[in-house]
Amino acid sequence: MSKELEKKSEELEQTLTKQLELLKKDSEEWLKLGAAVAVGVLLVYGIAKVTRKKKK
C-alpha cells in the first residue's frame, strides 16, 4: 500500500509540474500579446494627438 501511495504521489507531482510549466508558457504568451496591444494603443494615441494639433 505504501509503494502505491508513493507511486501515485510521484505521478501527481509530475502532473503538477507539467501543468505549472504550461501555465507559465501561456502566461508569457498573454504578456507578450498585452504588451503588443499596449504599444499599438500608444502609437494610435500619439498619431491622433499629433494630427489633431496640426488641424487646429
Side-chain angles (χ1 to χ4, degrees):
M1 180 93 178
S2 175
K3 293 202 182 225
E4 289 178 22
L5 290 175
E6 286 180 21
K7 185 176 179 182
K8 188 68 171 175
S9 175
E10 281 184 34
E11 290 174 359
L12 289 173
E13 286 179 18
Q14 290 174 358
T15 302
L16 179 61
T17 302
K18 287 178 184 177
Q19 289 176 345
L20 288 174
E21 288 173 4
L22 287 174
L23 179 64
K24 184 177 177 184
K25 186 176 181 180
D26 288 346
S27 295
E28 290 174 1
E29 297 290 327
W30 282 107
L31 183 61
K32 289 177 187 176
L33 179 63
V37 169
V39 168
V41 168
L42 288 174
L43 283 172
V44 170
Y45 176 75
I47 291 170
K49 194 171 183 179
V50 168
T51 56
R52 285 184 190 161
K53 284 185 179 179
K54 287 184 180 179
K55 288 182 180 179
K56 290 184 179 181

